[in-house]
Amino acid sequence: MRTMLISILVIVLITVWSREANSMAAKAKGDNPGNPYTGNCDLDSDCPAGSVCRLPGFGDANAAAQKKCYPCPCVNGVCVFASSPPRQQNMRDDIFTCDCNPGWTGPVCDQDIDECALNTDCCHGTSSMCTNTVGSYTCSCSRVDWALGTDNCECVDLSETVFRVQTGNGQNTVNAWVNGGSGTTSDQSCISTSQSSGCSKHYRNPSVNNWNTLNVKQVRYSLYKNEKEVAYVLFNGEESNMINWFTRSRIIISSYEDITDASGWILFGIDPGFQERNFIIQHEVGSCKYADITHFLTVDRNGCCCYYDNFGNNPYIWYSVGTTAHSTGNRSAFEFADTAMISIIQH
């Protein structure tokens, strides 16, 4: 009986000692639920997650000797405690403010800042777009033939202009593009989005004579009016030649929503062989006034079929305004472009 009582007493003592030891260890690591000061510590790493190691409140006799863990609810930031100099009489050290990390705001730094909506982002260059993310933002480019520069903010044009149409100069655009000759110039000062460029010839970069060696990745055909791009089609230029890059199976994207590689066209190409309508995308050809559904075309010489083939001052570029093709019967839906350009992106 005595042996049993001794055994029970030993078990009780061991249990009490174990609980006390665990409590002391917990205090050392700052785990003391129910107390705003959650335990003794030397470093922040001694404290539970979300707490920091600081000197206790003013007037504590052990203030100089022992730090304690303080709760810090700043979710995306750091606590700035009142004990930071200058320290005031009777001020509690658990009074704090949050110093938020970039991209966060709010009393405890738990509210995301939408830099895009506030216009505090750096995505302000041509074709740059801002997308808000949690705690930050990213920039991207609205044009697939542009890419972010080294600052990851502004987009840079990856393309090189290799051909520009000078409207009204009387020189056939297809012949100028394919063969060059006296109707073209390689003077780069003629690369202008304005009709009044001061040049009388089509601009043509001689490098296109070696198209097969240019390692062309993409080709962009763009129309400009009042120095702004008003329409474009981007083509896949892989393993292409100077003519077949302008085919519907190579379409990547366009400013016209109804141009896809699955759409049907009667006339599509640089030189589809229909009179003098070139660089053309036309869905239907039937009635000049009502049934010719057209995106754009270049007319190099007057004399053919419809009213829109005989405006004069060739070559001229006629295009459908907006994001879809229109019937040529709706003349108000079309305008004359000032110029057209061909640009390439190389690998």
Side-chain angles (χ1 to χ4, degrees):
M1 186 67 172
R2 179 178 294 180
T3 303
M4 183 179 296
L5 290 173
I6 293 173
S7 299
I8 292 172
L9 181 60
V10 170
I11 292 172
V12 170
L13 290 174
I14 291 174
T15 302
V16 171
W17 176 84
S18 177
R19 288 179 178 174
E20 187 65 25
N22 289 339
S23 177
M24 292 174 65
K27 279 191 174 184
K29 288 298 179 182
D31 187 11
N32 190 9
N35 192 327
Y37 304 146
T38 56
N40 296 335
C41 60
D42 293 312
L43 303 170
D44 286 347
S45 58
D46 295 330
C47 298
S51 298
V52 292
C53 187
R54 296 291 185 273
L55 290 173
F58 182 83
D60 191 317
N62 296 320
Q66 183 61 61
K67 295 181 179 180
K68 292 182 179 294
C69 293
Y70 288 81
C72 177
C74 303
V75 180
N76 297 289
V78 295
C79 289
V80 179
F81 284 85
S83 59
S84 301
R87 185 175 179 178
Q88 300 177 12
Q89 183 77 9
N90 296 325
M91 179 175 283
R92 291 168 49 199
D93 284 350
D94 56 350
I95 298 175
F96 63 90
T97 57
C98 289
D99 184 10
C100 298
N101 297 332
W104 295 96
T105 188
V108 292
C109 306
D110 61 344
Q111 300 172 24
D112 173 54
I113 295 175
D114 188 341
E115 294 86 355
C116 303
L118 295 175
N119 204 33
T120 57
D121 61 277
C122 68
C123 315
H124 299 316
T126 303
S127 297
S128 296
M129 300 186 302
C130 180
T131 301
N132 188 60
T133 60
V134 178
S136 188
Y137 65 91
T138 59
C139 299
S140 59
C141 303
S142 59
R143 287 178 52 161
V144 297
D145 51 343
W146 289 53
L148 288 175
T150 55
D151 60 0
N152 287 321
C153 292
E154 297 193 20
C155 295
V156 294
D157 188 356
L158 301 178
S159 65
E160 177 186 7
T161 299
V162 293
F163 187 73
R164 175 191 176 274
V165 173
Q166 179 59 49
T167 54
N169 70 354
Q171 301 294 319
N172 182 279
T173 57
V174 175
N175 183 59
W177 165 243
V178 176
N179 302 312
S182 60
T184 65
T185 178
S186 59
D187 182 356
Q188 292 190 353
S189 66
C190 290
I191 303 175
S192 170
T193 56
S194 171
Q195 186 178 33
S196 56
S197 64
C199 293
S200 61
K201 298 181 178 182
H202 304 304
Y203 168 78
R204 184 179 186 270
N205 190 320
S207 67
V208 300
N209 292 326
N210 302 306
W211 185 272
N212 293 337
T213 66
L214 293 180
N215 204 12
V216 176
K217 180 180 180 181
Q218 296 172 350
V219 187
R220 188 181 186 98
Y221 182 74
S222 303
L223 305 183
Y224 291 87
K225 187 175 182 64
N226 298 326
E227 301 187 55
K228 293 183 179 180
E229 186 182 55
V230 292
Y232 75 88
V233 183
L234 184 68
F235 297 91
N236 177 8
E238 303 274 2
E239 299 181 357
S240 66
N241 58 41
M242 290 187 66
I243 297 294
N244 70 12
W245 59 264
F246 197 114
T247 56
R248 71 181 193 178
S249 62
R250 290 181 173 274
I251 295 171
I252 297 175
I253 192 172
S254 173
S255 59
Y256 292 109
E257 298 172 351
D258 55 347
I259 291 184
T260 67
D261 60 1
S263 302
W265 293 283
I266 298 299
L267 298 175
F268 193 119
I270 290 176
D271 182 8
F274 189 85
Q275 302 298 326
E276 292 296 319
R277 297 181 192 174
N278 299 316
F279 289 97
I280 182 173
I281 300 180
Q282 197 164 35
H283 277 269
E284 300 177 21
V285 177
S287 168
C288 296
K289 190 173 182 180
Y290 301 110
D292 290 1
I293 309 302
T294 305
H295 284 98
F296 54 76
L297 53 81
T298 297
V299 178
D300 277 308
R301 179 174 59 83
N302 291 349
C304 184
C305 323
C306 299
Y307 75 89
Y308 59 85
D309 291 306
N310 294 282
F311 288 127
N313 199 27
N314 307 93
Y316 58 83
I317 305 162
W318 209 46
Y319 71 98
S320 175
V321 177
T323 58
T324 60
H326 288 99
S327 166
T328 53
N330 182 10
R331 188 164 177 172
S332 63
F334 291 84
E335 290 187 0
F336 294 100
D338 293 334
T339 187
M341 291 190 187
I342 298 173
S343 303
I344 63 172
I345 298 175
Q346 298 169 274
H347 281 287

